[in-house]
Amino acid sequence: MSAKSGAEIFKQRCDQCHTVNPGGKHKTGPNLNGLIGRQTGSVAGFDYTKANKAKGITWTKETLDVYLTNPKKYIPGTKMVFAGLKKKKDRDDLIAYLVKETK
């Protein structure tokens, strides 16, 4: 896993909709700061779908791996338009970046 490679993936695939910095603004998607250990649909000030609120899981490396493979399959009804990352290495690198940058 490479957080450095994950940073590039984030920049190319996620940055247009998400921020990671503490106190960062919401874009189309919520700010991801504090992501690991947080429940789905729980960031104050972001308008989540009922599906995201009702999913009721806690974000971990493992749940992110499943979600990032195919977000619409993992949370049917999500408004996230991202198709997912099919390559396990890309997911691992992105997750390493998110773990590091969203503490």
Side-chain angles (χ1 to χ4, degrees):
M1 291 188 287
S2 167
K4 184 176 180 182
S5 295
E8 284 301 312
I9 294 167
F10 186 87
K11 184 177 178 182
Q12 294 168 0
R13 308 289 298 273
C14 312
D15 188 58
Q16 62 271 26
C17 295
H18 295 281
T19 58
V20 295
N21 55 311
K25 67 177 185 168
H26 301 307
K27 294 182 176 181
T28 304
N31 174 278
L32 300 177
N33 193 261
L35 176 66
I36 304 300
R38 183 168 76 204
Q39 243 193 346
T40 54
S42 66
V43 175
F46 186 77
D47 185 27
Y48 288 97
T49 62
K50 288 180 183 177
N52 271 48
K53 292 177 186 175
K55 185 66 177 180
I57 58 103
T58 300
W59 292 120
T60 65
K61 293 177 194 176
E62 294 77 20
T63 55
L64 276 172
D65 183 55
V66 176
Y67 181 69
L68 291 170
T69 302
N70 188 337
K72 289 188 181 295
K73 183 177 179 183
Y74 192 61
I75 303 180
T78 185
K79 62 184 174 183
M80 187 156 132
V81 296
F82 179 63
L85 294 170
K86 303 308 174 208
K87 295 179 182 175
K88 176 74 169 140
K89 181 185 180 331
D90 289 348
R91 292 192 311 275
D92 288 346
D93 290 347
L94 179 58
I95 291 166
Y97 169 77
L98 290 171
V99 166
K100 179 181 174 197
E101 294 299 318
T102 64
K103 288 182 182 179

